[in-house]
Amino acid sequence: MLFSAFSLLSAGLFVALDAVDVAFTEAAVGAGISTILALATLALTGARQEAGTHHKVAPLIVVIITGSVLIYASIDIPPVGDSQAPSHLHVAPRYLNQSMKEVGIPNVVTSVLASYRGYDTLGEVTVILTAGIGVLALLGGRRRKKERTKSGDKEE
Amino acid sequence: MEHHHILRTITKLLIPIILLFALYVQFHGDFGPGGGFQAGVIFGSGIILYGIVFGLDKAMAVIPPSVLRVLAALGVLLYGGVGLTGIFLGGQFLDYSVLAAEPTKGQHLGILLIELGVGTTVAAIMILLFFAFAGFNREERG
Amino acid sequence: MMFVAGMIAILIAMTLILVRAFLGPTVFDRILAVNSFGTKTVLFIAVYGFLTGRPEFLDIALVYALINFIGTIAVLRFFEYGDFTSLGQKREDR
Amino acid sequence: MSNLGLYNYWIVITLMMIGFYTVMASHNLVKTLIGLNIFQTSVFMLYISFGKIANGTAPILSESHTLYANPLPHVLILTAIVVGVATTALGLALVVRIKDAFGAVDEETITLEEEKEE
Amino acid sequence: MTLLGIDNHLPALQVVIPLMGAPLCFLLRRPVLAWGFSVAISSATLIIAFLLLQTTLQTGPLSYALGGWAAPWGIEYRVDTLNGYILLLVTAISTLSLLYARTSFEHEINSAQLPLLYAGWLLCLTGFLGMTITGDAFNVFVFLEISSLSSYLLISLGPDRRSLTAAFRYLVIGTIGATFILIAIGLFYSMTGTLNMADLAILLSKNTESRTFHAAIGFLLIGLAIKAAIFPLHLWLPNAYTWAPSAVSVFLAATATKVAIYLLLRFLFTVIGAEHSFNLFTLNQALLPLGVLAVLIGSVVAIYQDNIKKLLAYSSVAQIGYMVLGITLVSLSGLTATLLHLFNHALMKGALFMAVGAIFYRTGSLRIADLTGLGRTMPLTMAAFLISGLSLIGLPLTVGFVSKWYLVVGAVEANQMWLAIIILLGSLLAIIYFWKVIEIAYFHHKSSEAPVVNEAPLSLLIPTWILVGANIYFGIDTRLTAGVAEKAALLLLGGTP
Amino acid sequence: MVQWLVDLLSWAALLGGALFLVGSGIGLLRFPDFYTRLHAAGLADTLGTALTLLGLGLQAGFTQPSVKLAMILIFIWLTSPTSTHALAKSALHSGLKPSSTPSSGGKSS
């Protein structure tokens, strides 16, 4: 529930950071599909409000170490919004300046996504297909499962 | 949701709008935010909304899972097929410039087709996911 | 300038709503708060688009409005019936 | 202004660590997945922060603007979001099946059940 | 369309053929069709991999610009001797284990799921091949996720309910690993503005003092170590391999960690550069104890297992330790040993898991105690198990000996005699855990009321014995493997082969 | 002259909208029970949204953005009352009682 609000909030942040396409997707996926699937799972598992997170020390230490390493790393990252950051000077300008001429599409995100790095997108579609196949294999065919439990019992 | 009359009426009204909007996002992705993936999700959401309000069986009657499986595979095949066409026309894999006489025209055509492939697969898989989750355990309960 | 005023108002409203979403106390309060929060986000994006001079982004606001509706209905359905499958069958009947 | 720009990273990192902690400390499998999702989303924010340019605007070309955000991180994150939702879907499907097979979705009960079979 | 034209597109086809095959396989309803189709696809990739390796050996590295966009802007595929070698390994194992899979799957998995399973298998293959062949850092992440997601799926379909929890835990740990890799790639990107590996290597070498760079290496290492199951991040591996369907165990045990080790080598040596990762960072001092601990602890834990697949899985953890040891030597013989062991371990573990799968097919049990008398009732299967076990221990005339020999030579060259002793100790421990199995199978007499078991069917035995044969052949004739591995190692160290 | 008038109007609309939005936020937070909060969220929101979007629309003039604004407005007008209505109905349905009225909704399925 609050997770959906979190998605909306993060999508708002993406808009503020000028990543409209990302915001678009995050809104549709995070607040829409993920929420619906999470709810369906909760409905099937019947675990609505269970005992909260147990406080454990070991994970906390790991988290603190990871966080500190990231903050350490962030010191040398160019600050947000710096137009002279190396990441804006190497590959990206070509996309922004040549996209109109080479691909002919004003939305640079689409032109990079579909053309310059189109192969990544093919991978992305494949990932979705993988998830689809996986969920079908796991949740399709109800009858089969019972047989399996039986044979599983015998094995042990 | 039998007793939600207003909801049912409004939903009936909204679903065509949603599907139209999905198509708009699909084909407007070149100029504004959006594209195949987003359109696929919105299209899928439209059908999912139908499934939520009117029940799984009705939604499955509209788009049977077997059709969705074919569509999901077709989307990927369309994408890959465009790539392979690039090879056959003498370019590299996924090179759209060779698809038409002018490179930019080819790029346009290529992007249109692959976005269509993305949209098809994503929409089909999203609906399939919903069907799989919502339909799990159904027979047991009657 | 006036867009900024609108933005600030929306942000204040968003904060208030978030507090309500955290406080609860019933699930329906939370759903209401999140739904209302979604509406505010739509407005926020719309106003932000005008603020930065790129009104094309209204598409996103539209998607938000849509997803927000679907999300609310799904959540509602879940809390009322406990699943997505059977029609008019209540959780207790299971 | 020089160090102000880093605050955004720090907030993102904090969020990331909250997600990471949830993943590791949570006993409920669904919560673990939600934590994973938060963790990933904050990584997406980190990427998008790399792409931000002050006074720039979204990378959709138009005559009235000259300074745009870096489109590449956006593209990468679009792909990553899709990967994230795919992972979530598969994970949730596994949770449903685990509930079916073990009758529980919390770590402790499942471990107990597993030990019974050893 | 001439044959010559196709030749130029081999790098792309290597990945695209299984990628396109997967959705087609997904549509097939009949399990036999799906199986035949996957075998055909897998064999096609094997042929392509063979041709690619041959080309790189003859003419040097190949580069393929996907979408026709030149390297830093588009995605580049880059095949050199190193990844050609890995490609060949992955496709060969995939084809062999698919041949094996049919009978085994029919026994363990319901027929309605088989087409989905084969589609998942092809996707997994796609992921491995894509990760190996690509020259683009972000593309690695995408294909890593394809292979990971499909391997979660493959594992979760195992015949025991514990396969579900194993897959779930692998999913959580694996996703954390992948996200760490994603963070590292992001940090690299923020420093350089590029994602192409060759380009990254040039740009990163200018800025090695940056804190971001150090942190990124840390994240990358942890992420890849999770995927490669390097001690102490191996915890997902034993359960995942134990409860997966038999044929899937064969495939994953022989390929998954190998590809991750390949990525580790690629990033450490090509992208970051050996001098930065090892001299500046003294990374080998951090990795060395991990490798030693992996060898010792993995082997000792394996001794105490009473599930035979778990025993093999812990033995894998130990074997990965050997590969890590080879890396830390940062010398030609050390790296050659790692690369050789990569290949040889795939052969040995493949054969071992196949033999175990055949045993499970007949006895329905994975417990070591239930193996009594199998030396007599399933002589061919147990002989295969015995020979590949001896190979794992490192007996001369088997592949296991060759890679350990190189490793010992590397250790002696580096004046680290104690390392050579650790390696020998590891072999001794391997003898102990194998003896446990062999003793029960050959020397314990079966009680009379136990059900009679027959020899495994030929469809399982033939692939097993092909791998066993490879174990012996490559143990005697080392020119091919050692030659290629040495060239690849030279390439990593920056020389020209 | 006309421009000035349009500006003034859109100012007024935006400010009015802002007022309603903040009001609805406060109401949502401060009202005593779910059903009263429903009013705050539902009614004030609809009006606040309408005014804000109107203000934006006046600025945009008759262009594509204002068409989209109109679509958003219609959409919100359709969905927001629907979801609040459905919410109220579900709440009543699942036995949540308004604090002031005697229980008449009760459980009935």
Side-chain angles (χ1 to χ4, degrees):
Chain A
M1 199 55 236
L2 287 175
F3 175 63
S4 145
F6 167 73
S7 271
L8 285 172
L9 199 62
S10 59
L13 186 67
F14 287 138
V15 173
L17 290 171
D18 296 327
V20 276
D21 275 275
V22 177
F24 209 135
T25 316
E26 176 64 27
V29 166
I33 298 295
S34 291
T35 311
I36 290 175
L37 293 184
L39 283 173
T41 311
L42 287 175
L44 287 167
T45 53
R48 278 209 289 161
Q49 294 288 323
E50 270 180 25
T53 311
H54 299 241
H55 291 284
K56 286 192 275 187
V57 185
L60 201 63
I61 294 171
V62 175
V63 164
I64 289 171
I65 292 173
T66 322
S68 332
V69 172
L70 270 173
I71 287 179
Y72 168 79
S74 74
I75 297 171
D76 279 353
I77 298 179
V80 178
D82 182 2
S83 59
Q84 294 307 306
S87 52
H88 305 320
L89 301 176
H90 184 48
V91 175
R94 154 111 178 230
Y95 297 142
L96 289 168
N97 300 329
Q98 304 293 315
S99 162
M100 241 4 216
K101 202 163 59 188
E102 291 178 345
V103 184
I105 279 178
N107 184 351
V108 186
V109 173
T110 304
S111 77
V112 177
L113 183 86
S115 189
Y116 290 103
R117 295 188 70 88
Y119 192 67
D120 267 352
T121 311
L122 180 57
E124 166 195 323
V125 184
T126 316
V127 169
I128 280 287
L129 183 75
T130 314
I133 292 177
V135 172
L136 273 187
L138 283 168
L139 300 184
R142 169 89 201 141
R143 179 172 34 83
R144 204 207 110 254
K145 222 228 88 225
K146 276 178 189 150
E147 284 167 22
R148 206 180 76 149
T149 332
K150 251 184 252 155
S151 66
D153 289 342
K154 236 185 287 166
E155 282 150 19
E156 288 303 318
Chain B
M1 292 217 165
E2 235 88 76
H3 57 285
H4 286 298
H5 293 294
I6 295 182
L7 180 62
R8 291 165 75 92
T9 323
I10 294 286
T11 308
K12 258 184 204 160
L13 213 100
L14 276 178
I15 284 172
I17 302 180
I18 294 174
L19 300 187
L20 268 178
F21 182 61
L23 291 180
Y24 164 79
V25 171
Q26 170 85 51
F27 295 109
H28 196 254
D30 296 358
F31 310 101
F37 182 76
Q38 291 90 335
V41 172
I42 295 171
F43 196 94
S45 309
I47 306 286
I48 291 174
L49 177 65
Y50 186 79
I52 291 174
V53 175
F54 294 97
L56 198 61
D57 292 319
K58 279 197 176 162
M60 278 190 178
V62 176
I63 301 185
S66 52
V67 175
L68 286 174
R69 280 175 75 137
V70 176
L71 283 177
L74 269 186
V76 179
L77 290 176
L78 177 63
Y79 201 138
V82 171
L84 288 179
T85 317
I87 287 185
F88 285 115
L89 294 177
Q92 304 280 70
F93 183 72
L94 283 178
D95 193 347
Y96 315 134
S97 302
V98 293
L99 293 181
E102 268 175 73
T104 12
K105 286 243 174 69
Q107 291 283 348
H108 263 295
L109 181 66
I111 290 178
L112 186 77
L113 285 174
I114 62 134
E115 291 275 17
L116 201 62
V118 175
T120 317
T121 300
V122 170
I125 294 283
M126 290 302 156
I127 303 169
L128 266 181
L129 288 184
F130 173 72
F131 283 174
F133 273 94
F136 186 72
N137 260 354
R138 208 149 61 109
E139 292 95 274
E140 208 176 54
R141 221 172 292 149
Chain C
M1 184 52 218
M2 62 179 149
F3 297 136
V4 176
M7 287 273 276
I8 292 170
I10 293 169
L11 283 176
I12 293 171
M14 276 168 118
T15 323
L16 293 172
I17 292 166
L18 262 189
V19 174
R20 172 50 68 201
F22 274 108
L23 287 180
T26 65
V27 256
F28 296 103
D29 282 305
R30 288 179 206 268
I31 300 175
L32 181 67
V34 172
N35 183 33
S36 182
F37 186 79
T39 318
K40 299 299 175 303
T41 322
V42 174
L43 290 178
F44 175 83
I45 292 170
V47 178
Y48 184 83
F50 276 86
L51 188 69
T52 53
R54 310 232 40 185
E56 301 90 303
F57 307 156
L58 287 172
D59 288 1
I60 311 174
L62 206 50
V63 175
Y64 269 50
L66 169 74
I67 295 294
N68 190 30
F69 175 64
I70 297 180
T72 308
I73 299 300
V75 169
L76 211 57
R77 164 111 200 180
F78 166 62
F79 280 106
E80 200 174 352
Y81 299 109
D83 64 36
F84 291 112
T85 53
S86 44
L87 271 173
Q89 195 182 17
K90 288 208 63 172
R91 183 195 298 279
E92 290 81 21
D93 303 343
R94 274 209 262 165
Chain D
M1 191 60 202
S2 65
N3 250 9
L4 197 71
L6 292 179
Y7 287 141
N8 190 27
Y9 293 132
W10 295 343
I11 293 167
V12 167
I13 291 167
T14 314
L15 194 59
M16 203 184 286
M17 291 309 120
I18 292 173
F20 195 30
Y21 180 75
T22 318
V23 175
M24 288 193 293
S26 174
H27 283 237
N28 185 317
L29 303 188
V30 182
K31 266 195 188 164
T32 307
L33 283 178
I34 288 177
L36 209 55
N37 226 314
I38 293 175
F39 183 42
Q40 287 182 320
T41 310
S42 50
V43 176
F44 304 161
M45 288 178 189
L46 186 73
Y47 265 71
I48 300 298
S49 310
F50 293 152
K52 169 80 179 172
I53 292 182
N55 302 321
T57 174
I60 297 173
L61 304 177
S62 77
E63 277 105 44
S64 51
H65 295 80
T66 47
L67 198 58
Y68 300 100
N70 187 345
L72 192 53
H74 300 181
V75 174
L76 304 183
I77 288 320
L78 279 179
T79 308
I81 288 179
V82 177
V83 169
V85 74
T87 315
T88 313
L90 199 61
L92 289 173
L94 276 171
V95 171
V96 169
R97 285 291 305 277
I98 287 174
K99 163 78 181 177
D100 216 48
F102 292 88
V105 289
D106 65 305
E107 209 53 71
E108 280 142 6
T109 322
I110 292 170
T111 316
L112 276 179
E113 283 277 313
E114 279 184 327
E115 274 162 8
K116 250 188 255 166
E117 292 189 34
E118 292 289 328
Chain E
M1 198 76 237
T2 59
L3 201 68
L4 210 76
I6 280 278
D7 270 7
N8 298 329
H9 296 289
L10 285 182
L13 291 178
Q14 172 82 86
V15 180
V16 171
I17 286 180
L19 196 155
M20 301 272 283
L24 285 174
C25 192
F26 175 58
L27 291 180
L28 294 174
R29 289 278 167 167
R30 297 221 359 243
V32 181
L33 274 181
W35 173 76
F37 185 71
S38 333
V39 171
I41 295 275
S42 187
S43 324
T45 59
L46 175 60
I47 293 166
I48 293 174
F50 185 74
L51 291 174
L52 276 176
L53 182 62
Q54 217 176 23
T55 321
T56 55
L57 284 175
Q58 281 161 3
T59 59
L62 291 173
S63 170
Y64 187 90
L66 288 150
W69 300 110
W73 294 282
I75 293 169
E76 181 198 18
Y77 266 7
R78 209 176 166 76
V79 195
D80 54 24
T81 309
L82 175 60
N83 49 15
Y85 173 73
I86 307 284
L87 289 174
L88 188 67
L89 171 72
V90 172
T91 49
I93 295 285
S94 162
T95 312
L96 263 181
S97 38
L98 263 176
L99 284 176
Y100 174 92
R102 187 180 152 200
T103 317
S104 168
F105 278 165
E106 272 169 7
H107 176 64
E108 290 170 11
I109 289 154
N110 181 280
S111 61
Q113 263 160 327
L114 282 175
L116 296 175
L117 185 67
Y118 289 121
W121 185 300
L122 286 180
L123 285 169
C124 199
L125 178 63
T126 310
F128 289 145
L129 296 177
M131 265 197 281
T132 311
I133 202 171
T134 187
D136 186 280
F138 191 78
N139 204 236
V140 168
F141 171 75
V142 175
F143 279 87
L144 177 80
E145 282 292 358
I146 294 179
S147 74
S148 311
L149 281 176
S150 45
S151 40
Y152 309 145
L153 159 70
L154 293 178
I155 291 167
S156 72
L157 292 176
D160 189 281
R161 65 174 180 168
R162 275 169 282 180
S163 63
L164 294 171
T165 46
F168 184 81
R169 285 179 190 143
Y170 184 21
L171 182 135
V172 172
I173 298 176
T175 308
I176 291 176
T179 312
F180 271 37
I181 295 172
L182 189 65
I183 294 174
I185 294 171
L187 293 177
F188 282 147
Y189 177 73
S190 80
M191 288 174 62
T192 61
T194 185
L195 291 166
N196 184 274
M197 286 184 185
D199 210 18
L200 268 177
I202 298 168
L203 290 169
L204 282 177
S205 62
K206 291 178 189 155
N207 198 6
T208 50
E209 295 299 310
S210 154
R211 296 182 181 93
T212 315
F213 182 60
H214 298 169
I217 294 178
F219 276 102
L220 190 72
L221 267 186
I222 295 177
L224 287 173
I226 289 177
K227 284 289 170 190
I230 292 175
F231 185 86
L233 298 169
H234 66 279
L235 291 168
W236 58 268
L237 183 140
N239 276 323
Y241 285 4
T242 306
W243 305 119
S246 308
V248 171
S249 300
V250 176
F251 180 43
L252 291 183
T255 53
T257 51
K258 311 296 174 293
V259 175
I261 295 269
Y262 157 76
L263 281 179
L264 191 67
L265 288 171
R266 182 56 89 196
F267 273 104
L268 282 183
F269 287 88
T270 310
V271 176
I272 301 170
E275 62 272 32
H276 300 126
S277 27
F278 293 106
N279 297 351
L280 197 83
F281 220 42
T282 58
L283 205 62
N284 39 352
Q285 284 175 19
L287 278 174
L288 185 67
L290 292 185
V292 173
L293 283 176
V295 170
L296 296 180
I297 296 182
S299 305
V300 170
V301 175
I303 295 175
Y304 289 100
Q305 297 306 316
D306 48 15
N307 181 311
I308 188 159
K309 272 173 114 178
K310 245 186 192 157
L311 184 150
L312 292 181
Y314 276 107
S315 142
S316 278
V317 173
Q319 303 298 318
I320 291 161
Y322 289 120
M323 295 175 210
V324 173
L325 287 182
I327 298 175
T328 60
L329 292 174
V330 210
S331 65
L332 186 61
S333 39
L335 280 177
T336 310
T338 298
L339 291 173
L340 260 181
H341 203 54
L342 215 78
F343 189 87
N344 295 344
H345 180 242
L347 296 182
M348 317 186 272
K349 270 290 148 57
L352 283 170
F353 271 110
M354 277 186 180
V356 169
I359 294 169
F360 181 73
Y361 182 81
R362 280 298 183 217
T363 64
S365 169
L366 290 173
R367 287 153 63 100
I368 294 176
D370 291 342
L371 294 176
T372 43
L374 284 188
R376 213 155 301 143
T377 47
M378 294 177 79
L380 285 173
T381 313
M382 279 319 292
F385 188 86
L386 180 65
I387 294 173
S388 25
L390 291 177
S391 174
L392 193 77
I393 292 167
L395 208 72
L397 296 184
T398 59
V399 285
F401 175 72
V402 182
S403 36
K404 280 195 183 147
W405 175 255
Y406 270 87
L407 201 56
V408 171
V409 168
V412 171
E413 265 177 15
N415 265 332
Q416 290 185 307
M417 279 312 288
W418 66 277
L419 207 58
I421 294 170
I422 297 274
I423 294 164
L424 292 180
L425 190 64
S427 289
L428 269 177
L429 290 170
I431 294 178
I432 299 177
Y433 60 71
F434 267 103
W435 178 249
K436 207 171 87 168
V437 180
I438 300 302
E439 187 193 9
I440 288 175
Y442 280 95
F443 301 105
H444 279 206
H445 288 281
K446 201 163 55 164
S447 56
S448 50
E449 70 263 27
V452 182
V453 259
N454 298 321
E455 183 53 80
L458 279 180
S459 53
L460 296 182
L461 278 176
I462 292 172
T464 314
W465 275 93
I466 292 176
L467 271 184
V468 172
N471 263 304
I472 296 170
Y473 176 77
F474 290 115
I476 297 168
D477 179 9
T478 59
R479 276 169 308 174
L480 190 65
T481 48
V484 174
E486 216 170 298
K487 273 187 185 158
L490 210 63
L491 196 90
L492 279 178
L493 290 171
T496 39
Chain F
M1 182 62 202
V2 177
Q3 185 56 42
W4 180 78
L5 198 67
V6 168
D7 270 355
L8 189 77
L9 273 176
S10 74
W11 257 106
L14 268 173
L15 278 185
L19 214 67
F20 272 108
L21 289 178
V22 175
S24 104
I26 295 172
L28 195 65
L29 195 62
R30 298 288 302 158
F31 278 170
D33 81 335
F34 171 72
Y35 294 93
T36 47
R37 285 179 205 135
L38 207 61
H39 286 96
L43 297 177
D45 242 24
T46 321
L47 200 58
T49 310
L51 282 174
T52 313
L53 291 179
L54 185 74
L56 293 179
L58 283 173
Q59 280 293 308
F62 285 104
T63 49
Q64 203 198 2
S66 57
V67 175
K68 280 183 197 159
L69 279 176
M71 275 178 70
I72 296 177
L73 188 58
I74 293 172
F75 203 86
I76 287 184
W77 267 352
L78 279 178
T79 57
S80 177
T82 312
S83 33
T84 33
H85 173 83
L87 248 171
K89 208 151 182 173
S90 302
L92 210 62
H93 199 72
S94 60
L96 185 69
K97 294 179 192 75
S99 59
S100 50
T101 54
S103 70
S104 53
K107 272 191 188 180
S108 61
S109 65

